[in-house]
Amino acid sequence: DAGVIQSPRHEVTEMGQEVTLRCKPISGHNSLFWYRQTMMRGLELLIYFNNNVPIDDSGMPEDRFSAKMPNASFSTLKIQPSEPRDSAVYFCASRYGRDRPNTEAFFGQGTRLTVV
Amino acid sequence: AQKVTQAQTEISVVEKEDVTLDCVYETRDTTYYLFWYKQPPSGELVFLIRRNSFDEQNEISGRYSWNFQKSTSSFNFTITASQVVDSAVYFCALSEAWDTGRRALTFGSGTRLQVQP
């Protein structure tokens, strides 16, 4: 398996623009997570999905952020409009948990977002 | 609510020294899972180990070893004979029982390890 695939790897955008980050989880994994990493706040959970259903979005900073998982093999995180304080590395991770509940989460390479 | 504390922000050692990274956790669940991840300078998050709350056996993998003590809610990580390639940020993480539906990992703030040649 190719692992969790995120795109783009780097994104530079101007304040006010819409940004869409994409994630393809590992095939067969039924939980997907979006994390954000900054120097100030470390690794923080934004939202996660179980079986394509959003379970907890309490970490989403504000209404400018939205996430979708239309099927088991694809998820997006959208920021509209983007602001400089959104600059961070965004990680997507997936985890398998049916008959083996103690599995680890596998992370993508991350998307480094810079909003100028 | 669950919480993971890594009190050591940064550690610097000289190559071949042993080093222990501390991790203390809080959870109300009786069943939970603990993890260590490594983040090298390249930025990816690499899984190192997982431990179930009902398995307090310590584990050794090459130069790495982990000490899980439920009584003190700690899951410490020791690198023996450290090498420059061990330089990275190390994260401890916790997740609750799978059937609670709360499957996300809560991460500590990380410990930056610098191994000097």
Side-chain angles (χ1 to χ4, degrees), chain B residues 38-92:
Chain B
K38 174 182 180 179
Q39 188 174 41
S42 51
E44 71 272 25
L45 282 157
V46 179
F47 164 75
L48 295 177
I49 191 173
R50 65 174 176 269
R51 175 63 69 223
N52 304 333
S53 56
F54 43 86
D55 179 6
E56 289 195 67
Q57 233 179 358
N58 292 329
E59 181 153 342
I60 298 175
S61 176
R63 295 184 297 106
Y64 295 171
S65 62
W66 291 268
N67 183 344
F68 175 36
Q69 292 197 341
K70 213 166 176 178
S71 59
T72 56
S73 298
S74 64
F75 186 41
N76 297 337
F77 173 29
T78 297
I79 302 175
T80 302
S82 59
Q83 299 177 1
V84 173
V85 293
D86 296 327
S87 297
V89 180
Y90 291 86
F91 291 95
C92 181

Side-chain angles (χ1 to χ4, degrees), chain B residues 3-47:
Chain B
K3 183 179 178 183
V4 178
T5 301
Q6 294 180 257
Q8 303 152 308
T9 305
E10 186 162 346
I11 300 175
S12 183
V13 300
V14 177
E15 210 170 15
K16 296 184 183 176
E17 284 186 24
D18 299 346
V19 57
T20 295
L21 310 182
D22 298 333
C23 172
V24 174
Y25 61 90
E26 296 175 30
T27 178
R28 292 174 296 188
D29 282 3
T30 54
T31 300
Y32 49 89
Y33 308 101
L34 297 163
F35 307 83
W36 276 94
Y37 284 80
K38 174 182 180 179
Q39 188 174 41
S42 51
E44 71 272 25
L45 282 157
V46 179
F47 164 75

